[in-house]
Structure formats: C-alpha cells, structure tokens
Amino acid sequence: MTIEQLSVFLENKPGKLAEALESLAAAGIDLRALSLADSENFGILRIIVDKPARALKILQDEGYGVELVDVIPVAVDDEPGKFAAALRVLADAGVAVEYTYVFVAPKAGKAGKAYAVICADDAVAAVRCLESNGVDMLTSEEMYNL
Amino acid sequence: MSAKENYYQPEAECMSREKMHDLQSERLITQVKHVYANVGYYREKMDASGVRPEDVKSIADLGKLPFLTKDDLREAYPYGLLAVPREAPVRIHSTSGTTGKRVVAFLTQQDIDLWYDCCARALAAAGATPGDVVQISYGYGLFTGGAGLDGGSHKLGSLTLPMSSGFTDRQLQFMCDLGATIICCTPSYAEFLAETIEERGIGDSVKLKAGIFGAEAWSNEMRLRLEQKLGIKAYDIYGLTEITGPGVSFECSQQEGLHINEDHFVAEIINPETGEVLPDGEKGELVFTCLTKQAFPLLRYRTRDISILSRKECQCGRTLAKMSRLMGRSDDMLIIKGVNVFPSQIETVLIDYGLSSNYQLVIDRVNHSDTLEVRVELTPEMFSGSGTVGAVEKHERMLRDAIKNMLGIAAKVKLVNPKTITRSEGKAVRVIDNRKV
Ligand SMILES: [Zn+2]
C-alpha cells in the first residue's frame, strides 16, 4: 500500500523550484501533493504526481538529481487527534517516521477526510501496522486520481 | 638496522648523516666545476647571478646556485645542456611531451650504471632478492620506467620479465606460468590487472608478494585496494626523466614517504612563488640537484612537484631523507587564507570517496577574509534511500571534514545537480577565483 513519491534535489537559488514545476506542468503532469524540505545549502522537493514514471524521466532529462521513494498515503477523519492517533500506532510499533506532510484533495477527496503522506524508515512494517490498526490508506490509483 | 629489511647498498642507504653531508659536499664541488666548465648555458646563468664555482665550498652553499626550469630545458634543446662531448653519452630518454618540444636527457654508461643501482635499491626495499621473478610492465623505449626497473632487477640478479606495457593476456599468462613475485607498473595498470585477475578467477595462480607503482599520482586508498586485491605490499617510486627516471626516491617497508637516493640527488623544498628554501616539514616545490651524473647533470632543477621533506629517523634503518607522496603541481597552486592549496588535493579526497573528479573550486573574499567553496556533483548514492535532508547533509559533512583534513582550512561543500559542472572540451574550468586583488 505504498505509492511513489519523487524526491528532487534543488540547489538553493531563486527560481529553482519554479523551474522544476514548470517542466512538469509543460508535460501536463498534475501535482497531487507537495512538500519542500530545505537545508542551508540545498532543498529537497517532494511531490506526488499522477504519472510518476513520466515525471521521473522528465526531471532526469532536465539534469535534476531525482529519486523515487516509497511513501504511504493515509486518509483520516478530519477531526482533532485523528492523525496523531495514526502516528501513535507507528510510534508504539517502533517504526520511525522520517517525514510526513498533509495535503488537501478539493476535487475528488471525500468530505470530512484529511490526507497525509508518511515516509517511514520501514515502509512494510508501517503499512502492516497501520492496516491492523484500521487506519485508512489509499491505493496508488486512488491517490493519483484524487 | 632492522634485520628484516633488505638493502642493496647499505653503505649508502644507511650512511651516517655526517658522512652523507661530507660526501654530498665533495660531490657538489666537483659537479659545479664540471658543469661550469662544460655547459655554456648554465655558465651564463651562474655568471648572471654572480656565482663562481669556487663559491660553492659545501652542500650548504647549494642555495647560491641559480635554478633550472623546464623552460630552460626546452630552450637548450637538444644539446644545450649536454656536459660531455657529443660522442660520450650512449643513450637518451625523453619525456612524454604534452606541449612544445620534448625534453631529451642523455646518459653515459656510468650514468646508466648508477641509475640502475638506484632502481635496485627500490626493488630490494620492496623485498626483491636474486631468487625473485620481477615482472616489468612499464613501457620500454623513450620512457624511463621500463629501462630503469629492468636495469635494477638485473643488478639485483632477479629473473627479469621485460613485458613492457599492454597485452594483458600475455602479462597474466607469464605472471601465472613463471610465478612472478614482484610487479612493476603504473598504479592504474595494476588496478586493471587486479580487476582482470578477479574477473577470470585466477587469483590462486598469482604468486605476487609486492608491487612497485609509479609514474602516476595515486592515493593511499588505492594502495589499500591494490594490496588487498593482489595480496601484495604496494610501494611507491618516484623519478623524472630530467633527473634520471624512476629511482630518484623509493618507499621502504614503513610506507611513509619515499627515501631519496641522496648520495646521487640532493633535494630541496622551495616556496614556488619566491624561490626561498623552506625548512624540513614545510610544503613546497621539490628541487633536485644531480651530484654524480656526467652527461646531463642538472643543478637545482625545479620539478614543479609539491612535497614535504623529512630527515627524521626511519624504522627501516635507512638514513636517507624522505619526501612525502606528491601533493600536487606548483603551477596549480592557490593561496587561500594564506595556505597553499592544490586542486589535486581536493581531487584526491573526491576519488577516495569514489566520486567523479569533476569538481569546481570557487574562491571569494568576504569581509577581507578568503572563502573556499567546493562544488561537487550529487551522485545517486548520496540521494538514495528516503531522500532525507539529513542523509544528503551527512555526505556534505563527510566531504567537508575530509577536505579540511587534507587542506588544513575550512571549505564549504556545495552539492550540485548531476552533470551541471561543465565538462568542457578543452581544459576544464576547475577554479573560479572571484577575489579582487
Ligand atoms: Zn625507511
């Protein structure tokens, strides 16, 4: 129940983020979720897109350092404490969360649901643990079509 | 003297420092007279700097003599620096010229003899004995590599395989069938041989115990790799055609610097900017003076190679001064925060990390202080896994620490996207110096 996220290495220079996204837009690739991690010297753009393989090829051809990373898309009720509860089951099972980001799905998302992407150190264990605790996860098809 | 150590000429290799000083002084006085009398080109230089042969009374007066550079050798090409009648030398060797005229060096039979002695010392230090089978896979011909080690091996009485370079199938066949115990070649060819042996799974038939690798810069990591893959001890050897070819200096069992054959060659370290002679332990340009050569006796020849001299006692029992493994070329030297920096040092760090040597140095001056940024291309390995900031920063940090260790000054490591540092057709732009001086 993991999906592919693209991690893109960006140099810390004005316009780099826009350039990367413009390249994808020009090919008609739709963004589903996005997060940007930054350090002193560089940034890492993390995106979920509708056509990951194609996006990977485009970015590689443009000379970006790109990696496909397995992440877990979850859906929780949009109520206080629900996402915390999902993270708690992982913590109790000893699975470390490397990073996570929340996103909205205005077009096809279900009313009352909030969505998040989780990157865990052990994706298989994380999925097993979320599943057995009844946390909703999306299939790649659902995710890419959100 | 260590009982295990193997010397070829212990009387020279383990001579007391006082005796060496006297021997060098005596030889230098004779050599300067010989050159002044027979080499018009150098006589003019001495006259121009107001030095007379009789001003040189001991080795301490070496610094009075003018330098020779590669430009002098080109200018005096081909016979201008020959110190004996045209019919006296019996051999030439020549450097692989990259630009301009080649450099041609002449040797008399005695010059050849003493050179081979120097190479025999290097072979003995690597453990070669009369019973050994020495495979020489350096090129033979104008290049000095093949001839030098070949001659040294004959002097020692080892069985010599004059393979020359290339023809890997034949190299490996002889290595296995004849049981070669010592291999002499460039470190890069040794790596190629090691990989081929591994691929063919013939490691069990290889009987090598030592390798003598020179004529190219190589790192300590490469040494460890070669030692492990070939099951040998790997020794460095240094020389240059202008001085004599391999055997100017060689490594002993301690593998911590190369012993200079000081009874034949005097080494100095100078500041490449000013020509000032630097004390032992300081980094600078190597300068050699030939004490015994007859036909082509260069005095104070600037090698442009950067190294450090040490006269500390060596565990091997030799008293010969040592030079460190080469640290770069003086032509490329940069002065950053008052420290001499050579781009090749950074290249060494990158190669040791298995990275491409496609890097760029950006030097700037911020608030009256120099800054150094090293741009390195991101590799898939640095970015694999979950693509976290921490993982990439770890690589940045490792490189930063290694560079600081190597240079002695802090540098900022900047990772850039793959293939974004221009691989120009001509000479790569490795250094961008934005300092307004
Ligand atoms: Zn030694």
Side-chain angles (χ1 to χ4, degrees), chain A residues 14 21 26 44 84 87 90 92:
Chain A
L21 296 180
I44 297 178
L87 293 175
L90 291 177
D92 290 348

Side-chain angles (χ1 to χ4, degrees), chain B residues 67 266-270 285-289 300-303:
Chain B
F67 291 116
V266 182
E268 298 169 278
I269 290 283
I270 63 163
E285 181 179 344
L286 264 173
V287 174
F288 280 107
T289 295
R300 300 198 87 201
Y301 179 65
R302 293 184 58 161
T303 63

Side-chain angles (χ1 to χ4, degrees), chain B residues 231-243:
Chain B
I232 59 169
K233 200 156 171 175
Y235 297 85
D236 203 352
I237 187 167
Y238 171 82
L240 57 175
T241 308
E242 298 94 308
I243 298 301

Side-chain angles (χ1 to χ4, degrees), chain B residues 56-117:
Chain B
V56 177
K57 298 185 187 73
S58 86
I59 197 73
D61 297 320
L62 185 60
K64 294 178 179 168
L65 295 168
F67 291 116
L68 280 171
T69 64
K70 197 152 204 159
D71 286 341
D72 289 315
L73 267 60
R74 291 205 184 99
E75 213 179 301
Y77 173 90
Y79 289 117
L81 290 163
L82 187 61
V84 291
R86 217 304 284 121
E87 52 281 6
V90 296
R91 166 99 66 84
I92 67 148
H93 278 289
S94 178
T95 57
S96 45
T98 42
T99 50
K101 288 177 195 157
R102 295 180 68 93
V103 167
V104 173
F106 303 85
L107 298 99
T108 63
Q109 188 54 52
Q110 183 188 306
D111 291 338
I112 292 174
D113 227 39
L114 296 181
W115 172 31
Y116 290 174
D117 282 344

Side-chain angles (χ1 to χ4, degrees), chain B residues 375-405:
Chain B
R375 294 184 179 161
V376 182
E377 291 178 351
L378 186 82
T379 61
E381 293 74 47
M382 289 183 200
F383 204 45
S384 62
S386 8
T388 59
V389 170
V392 180
E393 278 181 336
K394 198 178 90 197
H395 288 283
E396 270 186 348
R397 218 163 31 238
M398 268 169 19
L399 279 173
R400 197 184 58 208
D401 292 349
I403 289 170
K404 174 145 194 210
N405 244 331

